[in-house]
Amino acid sequence: MYKLAHFFLSKIEPELAHKLSILGLRAGLHPKIKLKDNDSLKQIIWGRTFKTPIGLSAGFDKNAEVISPLFKLGFSYIEVGTVTPLAQKGNLKPRIFRLKKEKAIINSLGFNNIGLKAVKKNILEKNFNNLFQDRILGVNIGNNKNTIEILDDLKVLFENLYSCSDYITVNLSSPNTPGLRDNLKSNNFEKIVKSIYKLREDNNSKIPILFKISPDITPEDKKDIALIALANDVDGLILTNTTLDRTKLNISLKGGLSGRPLFDKSNELIRDFYALTSGKIKLIGVGGIFTSEDILTKMQYGASLIQLYTSFVYQGPYFIDQLNKDLSQIINELGYKNISEVIGSMA
Ligand SMILES: Cc1cc2nc3c(=O)[nH]c(=O)nc-3n(C[C@H](O)[C@H](O)[C@H](O)COP(=O)(O)O)c2cc1C
């Protein structure tokens, strides 16, 4: 039945399909999978236990509506958002395009979400109950489109969300919010990093704060970001958001490209940042993962954890459980006791 529902959703307009998926998950219409923990996939990072390295990346559950159902499908951590201080509608439709043959998606959503207050309410009321104490919730934050000073938005978001999540991601890399990626230039990046860590200190919090990076940055940007991350003891970098690069694709649709065509490019960033930071900054690898071998590749280049989005859309609700099983099998076959032994082994 779920396979049929997934097939039906793959045939209709992508944004409507996404809306129906969220409604279905909210109504409990998802397979009841018997998840099995496997110690070989378990890692403790930032003092938190990640049962597997597989997380859901930002953008699927923008409004924190379906955290519990998503955990039930096998993700060890979920990143909700991107959340902005005020609700916003995003860009004009149509703004999600499936490129099935290329195993890719192009989106130009532009941070459509119900806003900080409503998202916080969802986190507190609907989803994050005691059932999932061993699962991890990240919140991805970003500025409203018309905001002049990004730090004002980040401040209000951080102060409202740090007490109800396990980590915060500052999104500086969506290509669909004008000017956002300029914040990855060294002076801007340094200012943001220092301000947000100061805010954490002022609030007596120890919550991990990560930064999500664009795959389209220059080699100079990479060096600057790595140096700033090291100097400020940044908890982690998420590599990467979607790309504007179309060299691997003969399609001129506007927006951020995700999925298979992003795989090599995002891997390159993992390898570069692992080297530039001598493996001292935790990296989360995202972009184009479709198989357990893909996960292994990202971890061999230096990622400690991974996230995915596009393959989940294409493969459906049983996919994450299968990936976890495949991953523990490979780890076993390769003779590793724990997946952490893989990290950086091909860097
Ligand atoms: C439809 C769609 C919406 C997205 N929305 C967000 C978002 O709100 N914030 C964000 O940081 N990334 C967003 N992303 C990017 C993903 O989190 C991820 O970084 C990217 O898709 C690469 O991973 P993938 O190839 O596994 O999809 C979005 C991606 C897609 C396809």
Side-chain angles (χ1 to χ4, degrees):
M1 180 181 106
Y2 295 110
K3 284 185 177 152
L4 201 66
H6 180 248
F7 178 75
F8 164 73
L9 289 172
S10 74
K11 296 289 168 204
I12 62 174
E13 195 277 320
E15 197 160 344
L16 177 62
H18 182 255
K19 209 170 176 178
L20 291 176
S21 309
I22 298 283
L23 282 174
L25 286 168
R26 264 172 67 172
L29 297 174
H30 54 80
K32 312 289 173 277
I33 299 170
K34 268 205 169 156
L35 300 173
K36 232 180 98 198
D37 288 350
N38 188 324
D39 274 351
S40 66
L41 298 186
K42 197 188 277 181
Q43 296 181 83
I44 297 176
I45 295 175
W46 305 306
R48 286 147 175 87
T49 303
F50 288 78
K51 289 191 164 191
T52 95
I54 305 175
L56 177 65
S57 70
F60 185 86
D61 190 8
K62 283 182 187 278
N63 297 322
E65 294 171 280
V66 286
I67 303 170
S68 297
L70 286 167
F71 280 135
K72 290 180 185 160
L73 299 183
F75 290 108
S76 75
Y77 68 111
I78 311 282
E79 188 167 314
V80 298
T82 298
V83 188
T84 56
L86 302 174
Q88 79 183 17
K89 287 201 161 74
N91 296 322
L92 289 177
K93 295 179 187 174
R95 51 192 184 173
I96 305 182
F97 303 91
R98 290 191 203 101
L99 310 174
K100 206 171 166 200
K101 202 163 72 36
E102 291 80 5
K103 294 182 161 179
I105 291 176
I106 290 181
N107 92 84
S108 57
L109 288 165
F111 291 173
N112 54 315
N113 75 108
I114 58 176
L116 168 63
K117 208 169 151 197
V119 170
K120 184 171 179 178
K121 192 161 172 261
N122 277 350
I123 292 174
L124 293 176
E125 282 178 10
K126 282 200 196 146
N127 300 291
F128 209 48
N129 51 37
N130 294 335
L131 258 182
F132 294 106
Q133 266 172 354
D134 55 352
R135 309 275 166 170
I136 290 156
L137 177 71
V139 184
N140 178 306
I141 60 175
N143 59 291
N144 277 113
K145 187 177 176 184
N146 296 324
T147 294
I148 294 164
E149 177 51 72
I150 184 175
L151 284 171
D152 294 343
D153 280 11
L154 295 180
K155 183 169 190 287
V156 70
L157 288 159
F158 180 84
E159 287 181 340
N160 274 281
L161 291 166
Y162 78 86
S163 59
C164 58
S165 53
D166 292 295
Y167 73 88
I168 298 275
T169 299
V170 180
N171 182 2
L172 302 175
S173 50
S174 166
N176 303 313
T177 294
L180 183 64
R181 289 176 163 198
D182 296 343
N183 294 304
L184 292 168
K185 291 289 171 196
S186 70
N187 287 348
N188 298 343
F189 184 64
E190 187 168 30
K191 194 168 145 198
I192 290 173
V193 169
K194 284 194 183 305
S195 306
I196 194 117
Y197 276 100
K198 169 85 170 53
L199 203 59
R200 178 173 78 174
E201 200 183 314
D202 292 347
N203 283 280
N204 285 324
S205 164
K206 289 199 161 62
I207 189 167
I209 305 173
L210 322 183
F211 295 85
K212 189 161 175 182
I213 308 296
S214 152
D216 303 325
I217 55 175
T218 65
E220 280 308 306
D221 294 336
K222 284 184 198 170
K223 281 188 206 145
D224 292 342
I225 291 170
L227 281 177
I228 294 164
L230 282 170
N232 292 279
D233 225 352
V234 159
D235 298 294
L237 299 174
I238 303 192
L239 309 170
T240 66
N241 214 312
T242 55
T243 181
L244 292 172
D245 188 348
R246 296 292 188 268
T247 44
K248 287 209 164 175
L249 205 72
N250 220 352
I251 290 170
S252 60
L253 278 170
K254 286 218 172 80
L257 171 67
S258 60
R260 201 62 203 172
L262 178 60
F263 186 65
D264 290 339
K265 190 163 187 169
S266 55
N267 289 350
E268 203 180 296
L269 264 90
I270 296 171
R271 208 189 46 206
D272 290 350
F273 272 101
Y274 192 78
L276 287 165
T277 60
S278 311
K280 287 188 183 134
I281 303 278
K282 292 275 178 245
L283 306 177
I284 296 188
V286 203
I289 290 172
F290 276 79
T291 64
S292 49
E293 285 85 2
D294 296 341
I295 296 176
L296 208 65
T297 302
K298 285 201 192 288
M299 296 188 73
Q300 284 168 333
Y301 281 144
S304 293
L305 298 165
I306 65 92
Q307 294 179 333
L308 52 82
Y309 183 154
T310 302
S311 55
F312 179 54
V313 170
Y314 281 120
Q315 310 288 71
Y318 294 96
F319 178 55
I320 305 306
D321 184 43
Q322 191 57 51
L323 265 187
N324 278 320
K325 285 181 182 146
D326 292 349
L327 196 58
S328 38
Q329 194 182 329
I330 308 188
I331 292 300
N332 195 17
E333 279 167 13
L334 291 175
Y336 292 112
K337 276 215 173 74
N338 185 274
I339 190 133
S340 57
E341 294 161 44
V342 171
I343 300 166
S345 58
M346 255 172 41

